[in-house]
Amino acid sequence: MATPSSASLPPPRKRRLFLRWPFVLGVVAVIGYGLSVAMHWDDRGQLWIKERFESTAERSESVWLPDYIADIDAKVLPGMADDEASDLAFNPHTRTLFAVMGNNPFLVELSLDGDVLRKMPLLGWDNPEGVAVLEDGQIAIVDERSHDLTLVKVDASTTSLKRDDFKRYDLGKSADDNKGFEAIAWDPVRQRLVIGEERPPKLFTWNTDGRSPLIGDKQPLPNDQLDLRNLSALGVDPRTGHLLALSADSNMLLELDENGEQVSFMTLLGGFNGLNNRVPRAEGVAMDDQGTLYIVSEPDLFYRFKKH
């Protein structure tokens, strides 16, 4: 009986390579699936498909994040490289922005072009991570380390703020003390503060007219659609009342409607929405009354997006 010649069989090394390929492909598939779940790419894929079927009328009734293009991309906030920009809020009365810095606590007022107008030290704060502008010069500041919210008053003459001069509100303990309450936004349409826990992402509301002291306690807000790895910041579109949820870990900004349903999203990776590079660590988001979108990133970067 004839035996196969050595020329008819692939070399041993090549045979081992052929046998190894299915294993390698299997490992890649498992890693890819795990990564897609961790990054919620599966959810984003479903939302991307859903976006394609939205009518022009439905898009016009929402923020519609896919239409936003960066016109200020990674502008450096001077002198703040060590301060860690943590959140951002729009003031419709002064038509300026207020940002908090978490590492060296202070409140900074910015022009809508990202120019620094003034810096106000926050004396007594541990780790301010969230800021929201309410009514009559009242500003809410969330301190993640202290698990509380402080309502302060700011006017044109304010040069610094001392925490002991203002009333504080306990937000309670978080599931993870190091990933606690750090997101806050004022919803003028529904007269409430929306407060967010970083990880796992959770939402709460606190009803207020924006002028008076807070009464009662925060209430949980259903957030089944908050498919994000973490929650870095919150914003509210003052025109529609839609919620903007920012996630640094997911490199994403998500729009939710009044029922908490996902409407649209924007990725914060380079090559998308006019961005040259990935937003390093997006920590603050705000939208003005004209629909212009603003984002700040650690350590000291400012972004502006306009709808096209």
Side-chain angles (χ1 to χ4, degrees):
M1 183 175 177
T3 59
S5 67
S6 59
S8 66
L9 294 174
R13 183 176 179 181
K14 189 173 289 187
R15 287 202 304 271
R16 287 198 298 271
L17 185 61
F18 288 157
L19 292 174
R20 196 180 301 134
W21 266 110
F23 173 75
V24 171
L25 291 174
V27 171
V28 170
V30 169
I31 292 174
Y33 175 76
L35 185 61
S36 70
V37 171
M39 296 292 289
H40 295 278
W41 289 341
D42 49 344
D43 301 310
R44 298 293 79 78
Q46 293 175 20
L47 182 55
W48 184 86
I49 293 171
K50 178 184 174 183
E51 286 180 346
R52 308 282 73 77
F53 293 96
E54 296 284 353
S55 67
T56 302
E58 289 171 322
R59 294 185 183 193
S60 66
E61 293 171 357
S62 67
V63 175
W64 203 251
L65 293 169
D67 287 347
Y68 277 80
I69 302 296
D71 75 329
I72 297 180
D73 185 0
K75 179 176 181 176
V76 175
L77 299 172
M80 300 184 191
D82 299 324
D83 299 319
E84 294 187 359
S86 295
D87 199 11
L88 194 64
F90 171 68
N91 187 335
H93 306 293
T94 60
R95 300 205 59 76
T96 58
L97 298 162
F98 283 89
V100 285
M101 302 292 155
N103 192 36
N104 297 309
F106 63 86
L107 183 69
V108 57
E109 187 172 11
L110 304 170
S111 74
L112 299 184
D113 295 322
D115 297 322
V116 177
L117 303 177
R118 58 174 167 163
K119 295 167 64 174
M120 294 159 276
L122 294 174
L123 307 175
W125 274 266
D126 294 317
N127 186 28
E129 289 285 342
V131 63
V133 175
L134 287 76
E135 303 292 340
D136 296 343
Q138 190 159 243
I139 292 180
I141 299 174
V142 167
D143 193 300
E144 184 178 28
R145 195 168 298 149
S146 300
H147 306 276
D148 63 19
L149 179 161
T150 306
L151 289 180
V152 304
K153 293 281 284 188
V154 175
D155 59 27
S157 64
T158 303
T159 57
S160 66
L161 295 160
K162 185 181 295 186
R163 193 177 183 205
D164 290 342
D165 291 341
F166 304 99
K167 185 170 177 55
R168 282 177 272 172
Y169 300 85
D170 184 23
L171 293 176
K173 287 293 183 180
S174 304
D176 184 340
D177 285 347
N178 293 321
K179 302 293 180 183
F181 297 97
E182 73 164 66
I184 189 168
W186 164 239
D187 182 352
V189 176
R190 297 174 184 81
Q191 296 281 286
R192 65 183 184 179
L193 284 168
V194 185
I195 303 164
E197 207 170 346
E198 182 182 2
R199 186 180 294 127
K202 292 181 182 178
L203 297 177
F204 302 86
T205 61
W206 205 322
N207 292 335
T208 172
D209 62 5
R211 297 176 175 85
S212 309
L214 300 181
I215 299 174
D217 201 351
K218 67 183 192 306
Q219 301 298 321
L221 183 68
N223 48 257
D224 295 339
Q225 298 291 309
L226 204 61
D227 297 316
L228 299 168
R229 295 180 65 201
N230 81 314
L231 180 62
S232 301
L234 291 168
V236 172
D237 175 15
R239 304 161 305 159
T240 63
H242 285 192
L243 188 66
L244 300 172
L246 182 67
S247 173
D249 290 352
S250 296
N251 297 299
M252 188 177 301
L253 180 64
L254 181 65
E255 177 190 2
L256 304 173
D257 66 14
E258 61 276 7
N259 299 314
E261 297 289 332
Q262 296 182 11
V263 177
S264 69
F265 75 97
M266 181 173 78
T267 182
L268 302 178
L269 300 175
F272 295 90
N273 297 87
L275 292 169
N276 290 320
N277 298 293
R278 179 178 70 88
V279 178
R281 185 160 187 85
E283 289 289 332
V285 62
M287 179 165 280
D288 69 21
D289 49 12
Q290 303 299 310
T292 301
L293 180 67
Y294 308 87
I295 288 176
V296 289
S297 169
E298 291 182 357
D300 57 350
L301 300 177
F302 176 87
Y303 299 80
R304 186 175 72 190
F305 299 82
K306 291 190 174 182
K307 199 167 186 177
H308 288 261

